[in-house]
Amino acid sequence: MNSLSSKNNFQYGLKDGLKIMHKAQKRIVIGLSVLQLGWKENISMGMPSVFFMQNGLYNRGFESHYITIGNKANIKESVVSGIHIHRFFVRFRPLRQIGLYSLSQWIYWLIVQIKGYIKLNQLTRRLNPDLLVAHTYYCALPVYLIAKRRNLPAVFREYGTMDLYDRLSEGIRGKIKKLNEIIAYRLPFDAFILTDDGSRTKDAAIMLG
């Protein structure tokens, strides 16, 4: 696996990860995510590093498109700092109750696989992009499947893994709990851009081959 660690500097990983994409002519990129662009949209959620990812592509000459989750009142396309934002609606959210959180996360993950795939497929057919980006493991599978189907390069961008490394060390039981994350790391993306934030993301990626 071509694992790239940013070593606390996302720009380093992005620069290396995009070397294989420079021959693109139209230079259109579509990112699929469950994360908001954060402070650039004047909302209370999101991480600046998510914005930096798509904005970094925009600054390198790509027409940058970003698909994320929105509510019913906020699913129209908008443009923020040159980034075209597209949204799809998901009513269900993971539950916080003890005993239901893990199950609800899986349900949420499955919904994102279906709705994310549909939205990304629609936009890919319309724009004919040169590069696809999966932001977090939630979006890895639909991005990979569409990239494979349309013969496009694809990048996996992860912002930390929480407890993935620890669960992998628990054996079969831990791997079952993290199967959806494991799937993302096992998919043969053209490049992996991983944040080294102390959660041992790189170590987990190495363990998964």
Side-chain angles (χ1 to χ4, degrees):
M1 181 177 68
N2 181 19
S3 175
L4 297 177
S5 172
S6 61
K7 298 181 179 179
N8 293 321
N9 185 343
F10 140 77
Q11 296 292 344
Y12 176 83
L14 178 60
K15 181 179 179 180
D16 286 356
L18 292 178
K19 284 182 179 179
I20 59 174
M21 317 319 181
H22 287 328
K23 292 183 180 179
Q25 295 179 351
K26 292 184 180 178
R27 298 180 67 80
I28 298 176
V29 59
I30 302 176
L32 178 64
S33 179
V34 296
L35 303 172
Q36 303 299 322
L37 286 184
W39 48 277
K40 280 295 179 179
E41 286 191 282
N42 296 317
I43 57 178
S44 60
M45 63 178 65
M47 301 181 298
S49 54
V50 179
F51 169 78
F52 292 149
M53 174 73 192
Q54 290 294 138
N55 185 249
L57 291 162
Y58 172 74
N59 289 336
R60 285 168 173 77
F62 283 86
E63 180 181 311
S64 185
H65 294 260
Y66 185 78
I67 303 173
T68 189
I69 292 173
N71 55 48
K72 279 189 174 181
N74 188 31
I75 59 173
K76 292 184 178 180
E77 180 180 343
S78 60
V79 180
V80 175
S81 298
I83 303 169
H84 299 261
I85 303 173
H86 312 261
R87 299 176 176 87
F88 61 99
F89 176 63
V90 175
R91 183 188 302 274
F92 183 85
R93 291 292 188 274
L95 304 174
R96 295 297 178 182
Q97 290 91 330
I98 297 176
L100 294 177
Y101 180 67
S102 294
L103 176 60
S104 65
Q105 263 200 326
W106 271 98
I107 294 173
Y108 180 65
W109 181 81
L110 288 170
I111 294 172
V112 170
Q113 305 313 292
I114 297 170
K115 291 201 168 185
Y117 181 94
I118 292 172
K119 185 67 176 182
L120 179 59
N121 188 52
Q122 290 173 344
L123 198 59
T124 300
R125 291 177 63 182
R126 176 157 69 92
L127 297 178
N128 192 26
D130 301 280
L131 171 65
L132 300 181
V133 178
H135 294 263
T136 80
Y137 71 91
Y138 279 99
C139 300
L141 186 57
V143 167
Y144 173 76
L145 291 176
I146 291 177
K148 183 74 172 178
R149 177 183 172 187
R150 302 185 70 87
N151 195 30
L152 294 171
V155 172
F156 175 55
R157 172 72 169 110
E158 187 56 274
Y159 300 86
T161 60
M162 298 297 288
D163 59 349
L164 176 60
Y165 180 82
D166 294 332
R167 293 292 176 262
L168 291 176
S169 301
E170 294 176 357
I172 297 299
R173 183 178 179 181
K175 290 178 180 178
I176 291 174
K177 289 181 179 179
K178 292 292 183 177
L179 182 59
N180 48 6
E181 288 189 59
I182 292 172
I183 289 172
Y185 283 87
R186 296 291 294 176
L187 293 172
F189 282 94
D190 294 279
F192 289 73
I193 301 174
L194 311 175
T195 295
D196 188 2
D197 62 348
S199 61
R200 306 193 71 173
T201 308
K202 181 179 179 181
D203 292 335
I206 291 173
M207 285 183 68
L208 291 170

